[in-house]
Amino acid sequence: MSHVVGAASTSNNGHVAGKRLGVKKFAGQAVKNGNIIVKQRGSVYHAGKNTYMSKDYSVHANIDGFVQFRRMTGFKRGQYFVDVVESL
């Protein structure tokens, strides 16, 4: 009898479909009210002007317009915000 546990097979692990996360509308693209701009896990991108964040951290457009990304400087250094503006 062996005194060491044998190695297990791992051939059935890791086969999980991707969750299709990421930026869906890029800077300058037109969006309509309710469009998803970013799908994410956790708040990497924060809701800025004319946007809102849903409970799964997706950022949505609140009005019709164009997408803009900005990085906060000063107190909240390094935070990315997503805005929707009326026109560029």
Side-chain angles (χ1 to χ4, degrees), residues 11-83:
S11 63
N12 292 332
N13 295 341
H15 301 294
V16 178
K19 301 303 177 196
R20 280 72 176 175
L21 301 175
V23 178
K24 305 300 178 186
K25 300 287 186 181
F26 293 93
Q29 283 189 307
V31 290
K32 293 183 179 178
N33 184 8
N35 279 158
I36 295 174
I37 302 171
V38 180
K39 294 275 289 183
Q40 59 187 350
R41 295 289 177 260
S43 57
V44 176
Y45 294 94
H46 298 272
K49 297 170 187 164
N50 301 316
T51 59
Y52 63 95
M53 191 179 290
S54 61
K55 67 180 184 178
D56 68 344
Y57 297 103
S58 297
V59 179
H60 298 260
N62 219 4
I63 63 168
D64 297 348
F66 296 92
V67 177
Q68 278 188 347
F69 290 90
R70 64 184 163 94
R71 190 166 186 178
M72 183 64 92
T73 58
F75 175 67
K76 296 186 177 190
R77 280 193 307 266
Q79 286 189 344
Y80 291 98
F81 287 86
V82 183
D83 301 327

